[in-house]
Amino acid sequence: KTHVVIESEASHAISAVIAATRTDDESELLTQLVALEEALWRVVRACLPIMYERSEDGTPKCCEHIFYQILRPLIKSGPLTFEGEGKKEPTHLAGPSGAMSSLLPAIDAALGIEMSSEKLREAMGKFKFSMPLKHQEFIDQLVNSPNIRQRILINRPVGESSNSEHYDALVRAFNRVIARVLDFRWQHWQYVK
């Protein structure tokens, strides 16, 4: 249930990523960064708490034991062959989890976030193959384009400039989005660790 709700709500974040990466207008970039931050706030504060919901008697609705010990082994994926994707060889997926989501990889690519851990970078690379081909291509397109961080840095005003207030607003909005990404990862990690 949680992943369905997150993916549904995350559509607003992806729309903001697309608009932010396509615009050349700095005011529009600022508008889209604010929209991205708001969308991530909704995902973190309204969607992730579903993992912690409890029934009236106090038992978790998403029981860790049932999920990890009973359900997960039954639904982990094996080799699958997708029709119409152009590939005929079987694909091994990471299983039904957030690994299939393109939300954070797309946001990471758009913002210029890179994993500092080689182990995490490798895991994320493997997870990418659990995504639909069009999602993989979208992330590749974002990775191979100038990211938002680079664009903001390139437009940094030199000396006393009339654009310094606007630039500062862009930096603050960018940093708020980064904080939301970290918040998402921290909240999720608290559940899955």
Side-chain angles (χ1 to χ4, degrees):
K1 170 182 169 182
T2 304
H3 288 291
V4 172
V5 172
I6 288 172
E7 292 301 313
S8 174
E9 195 61 39
S11 65
H12 303 290
I14 296 299
S15 294
V17 163
I18 292 168
T21 56
R22 290 187 179 164
T23 187
D24 291 327
D25 180 65
E26 297 299 316
S27 293
E28 180 62 16
L29 176 58
L30 178 59
T31 298
Q32 296 307 323
L33 284 171
V34 169
L36 178 55
E37 192 264 335
E38 289 173 356
L40 286 172
W41 183 90
R42 286 192 305 272
V43 169
V44 172
R45 296 297 167 198
C47 301
L48 285 180
I50 294 170
M51 294 188 295
Y52 300 99
E53 283 184 346
R54 298 197 170 267
S55 300
E56 288 181 20
D57 65 358
T59 58
K61 288 184 176 181
C62 184
C63 178
E64 293 177 29
H65 172 74
I66 291 172
F67 180 75
Y68 287 110
Q69 306 302 318
I70 298 170
L71 183 60
R72 190 88 187 241
L74 294 174
I75 60 177
K76 72 177 183 178
S77 59
L80 301 171
T81 303
F82 293 99
E83 294 179 10
E85 291 282 331
K87 297 191 310 186
K88 298 295 180 201
E89 65 274 357
T91 302
H92 293 272
L93 303 179
S97 73
M100 294 179 196
S101 175
S102 53
L103 174 63
L104 284 179
I107 291 171
D108 288 346
L111 296 175
I113 296 172
E114 296 179 7
M115 299 300 137
S116 58
S117 162
E118 182 65 31
K119 188 175 180 180
L120 181 56
R121 198 170 26 257
E122 287 175 15
M124 298 296 284
K126 289 177 184 174
F127 290 165
K128 184 177 169 190
F129 294 108
S130 293
M131 298 173 201
L133 185 58
K134 294 289 183 190
H135 292 212
Q136 293 176 42
E137 291 169 354
F138 174 64
I139 292 167
D140 289 341
Q141 180 184 9
L142 290 171
V143 166
N144 294 318
S145 301
N147 63 57
I148 295 169
R149 181 179 182 275
Q150 292 168 329
R151 290 174 52 203
I152 291 172
L153 289 173
I154 287 170
N155 291 315
R156 179 177 26 197
V158 179
E160 292 296 318
S161 170
S162 61
N163 277 347
S164 63
E165 284 183 36
H166 184 72
Y167 175 79
D168 291 345
L170 276 171
V171 170
R172 284 191 303 275
F174 179 85
N175 288 339
R176 283 193 306 271
V177 172
I178 297 293
R180 290 290 175 221
V181 170
L182 291 171
D183 195 16
F184 180 100
R185 287 194 163 110
W186 178 252
Q187 294 290 332
H188 190 263
W189 176 246
Q190 292 306 304
Y191 191 79
V192 299
K193 66 179 178 176

